[in-house]
């Protein structure tokens, strides 16, 4: 069975392998590449893993627990440029995250929502549900 930290590490590894803008991870200090992108007003991404409810999927000789949650990636582009880069990054992130499996972790279809302008940045949010055994 995968624990919460195992799930986090698997997802972070998957994004580390992605060929896109720099990613700010929840539990890491802001990477120099993210800071440089922010200073240059270039696109960047913030990853948040939202763990959901765990449930008992079966009982036999021992309980079988399933974990659920949502991978959320906030995409930031300068609000004074076209939103096209944000939607292109969203497509790329969805391709990287949806219908992916590693060990007992699997993801489902990604959704994209417009977050709108905030603090000088235009934001899109890619949400990808996951489950793990």
């Amino acid at each position: 069975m995968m624990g919460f930290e195992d799930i986090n590490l698997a997802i972070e590894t998957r994004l580390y392998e992605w060929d896109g803008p720099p990613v700010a991870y929840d539990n890491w200090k802001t990477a120099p590449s993210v800071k440089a992108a922010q200073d240059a007003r270039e696109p960047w991404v913030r990853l948040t893993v939202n763990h959901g409810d765990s449930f008992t999927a079966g009982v036999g000789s021992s309980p079988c627990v399933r974990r659920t949650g949502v991978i959320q990636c906030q995409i930031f582009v300068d609000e004074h440029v076209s939103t096209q880069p944000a939607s292109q990054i969203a497509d790329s992130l969805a391709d990287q995250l949806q219908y992916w499996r590693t060990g007992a972790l699997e993801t489902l279809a990604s959704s994209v929502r417009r977050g709108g302008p905030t603090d000088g940045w235009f934001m899109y949010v890619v949400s990808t549900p996951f489950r793990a055994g």
Side-chain angles (χ1 to χ4, degrees):
M1 173 178 55
M2 293 186 84
F4 297 110
E5 186 58 19
D6 297 326
I7 294 168
N8 290 345
L9 288 173
I11 293 166
E12 288 172 2
T13 299
R14 182 69 174 177
L15 276 184
Y16 183 76
E17 297 166 349
W18 175 59
D19 184 27
V23 178
Y25 299 91
D26 265 354
N27 60 340
W28 297 6
K29 288 185 177 180
T30 301
S33 59
V34 173
K35 182 70 173 132
Q38 291 169 339
D39 291 344
R41 305 296 295 168
E42 294 175 353
W44 62 282
V45 174
R46 178 185 301 136
L47 168 68
T48 303
V49 178
N50 290 310
H51 293 277
D53 293 333
S54 298
F55 61 93
T56 304
V59 288
S61 58
S62 64
C64 179
V65 175
R66 296 280 187 262
R67 308 211 186 279
T68 65
V70 177
I71 303 165
Q72 285 196 311
C73 295
Q74 296 170 294
I75 302 161
F76 296 93
V77 298
D78 188 326
E79 75 174 340
H80 301 295
V81 299
S82 165
T83 60
Q84 183 180 10
S87 61
Q88 291 171 334
I89 295 166
D91 285 338
S92 176
L93 268 170
D95 288 344
Q96 181 73 4
L97 292 172
Q98 66 187 352
Y99 303 118
W100 159 67
R101 183 180 192 133
T102 182
L105 173 66
E106 64 181 350
T107 62
L108 305 171
S110 294
S111 299
V112 176
R113 292 194 173 45
R114 178 185 180 277
T118 179
D119 295 330
W121 296 94
F122 189 85
M123 182 178 63
Y124 267 35
V125 180
V126 177
S127 299
T128 308
F130 67 84
R131 57 187 174 213

